[in-house]
Amino acid sequence: MAWVYEIGVAKYFSTPQMQNNATEFYNYFTNKGATLESICGMLGNIQRESTLNPGIKQGSSTSLGWGLIQWTPSTVLTNWCITYGYNWYDGSAQCERISCEGEGTKGAGGYWLPTSEYAYSWSEFLAITDVAEATKAYLYERERAGVVALNDRLQYASEWYEYFSGTPVPPTPPTPPTPITRKSMPIYMMLRKNY
């Protein structure tokens, strides 16, 4: 397999095209030591941004977003690709850019920004074992799109988890209630008949 792309505005992908590119993305980040959960968290966000088409453009202007995560302005992606000899629409190059942003390498630092609520370093993010947490962390630390379509992103991430693992995302176990402490009753009260 290889990355597929269609360059242009509103070039949304079908399910088989997304699955092909999700597999390429999965293989790249698995080799970087990422958990399935962190990969699916990224994929949930990326599906919402681009339907996993690395050639998609938000518009023809370079001031708009292009690529998997809709780099805005698009020159953030295109200039970096020129510097390192990549085609901007190449999914492998965009995975490399995403990784470099997290690691702060190859001139791509400053894009992974931990927040007070999601204070994960890149290496901590790659080790997350909860799909919803990874989806939110990627949204708030990299995409920074607020809560725009958060439910869509969470749903897509869950679907990618099921696609790759063959099982639904395990439910989060409920928090056990705090036990109530009582003083013991005198024995005569327990034996007393209720009328």
Side-chain angles (χ1 to χ4, degrees):
M1 284 194 297
W3 280 90
V4 294
Y5 62 89
E6 290 183 32
I7 298 173
V9 177
K11 298 288 185 178
Y12 304 114
F13 270 5
S14 66
T15 298
Q17 290 171 308
M18 286 193 293
Q19 288 172 342
N20 178 86
N21 286 356
T23 300
E24 293 296 317
F25 188 90
Y26 171 86
N27 291 337
Y28 178 90
F29 281 99
T30 297
N31 288 331
K32 292 283 188 176
T35 61
L36 175 59
E37 292 83 356
S38 67
I39 292 168
C40 292
M42 288 187 279
L43 285 171
N45 279 283
I46 291 169
Q47 181 176 344
R48 175 67 171 105
E49 295 293 325
S50 65
T51 66
L52 281 77
N53 177 4
I56 201 165
K57 297 178 175 184
Q58 194 175 30
S60 56
S61 168
T62 57
S63 66
L64 298 172
W66 291 11
L68 290 173
I69 64 173
Q70 294 293 280
W71 280 272
T72 307
S74 62
T75 53
V76 170
L77 172 63
T78 58
N79 290 346
W80 184 84
C81 286
I82 290 167
T83 299
Y84 292 98
Y86 300 122
N87 292 316
W88 75 266
Y89 50 84
D90 177 11
S92 295
Q94 291 182 30
C95 285
E96 181 71 11
R97 170 74 197 198
I98 291 168
S99 183
C100 288
E101 287 179 357
E103 296 164 356
T105 58
K106 289 174 85 170
Y111 290 92
W112 183 261
L113 300 172
T115 65
S116 57
E117 191 173 352
Y118 294 93
Y120 296 104
S121 68
W122 179 247
S123 60
E124 290 169 334
F125 168 75
L126 292 179
I128 292 175
T129 57
D130 179 278
V131 175
E133 183 71 4
T135 305
K136 292 175 192 174
Y138 195 78
L139 172 62
Y140 297 124
E141 292 189 89
R142 173 52 186 95
E143 288 294 332
R144 294 183 290 285
V147 293
V148 174
L150 174 60
N151 289 336
D152 289 348
R153 294 167 196 266
L154 290 166
Q155 179 64 39
Y156 298 150
S158 293
E159 289 167 3
W160 287 118
Y161 182 89
E162 188 166 349
Y163 176 76
F164 286 112
S165 72
T167 60
V169 174
T172 304
T175 305
T178 306
I180 300 171
T181 55
R182 297 186 241 179
K183 294 181 181 178
S184 60
M185 278 188 191
I187 196 134
Y188 73 89
M189 291 183 95
M190 290 188 269
L191 299 174
R192 189 174 164 192
K193 291 184 180 182
N194 292 329
Y195 294 98

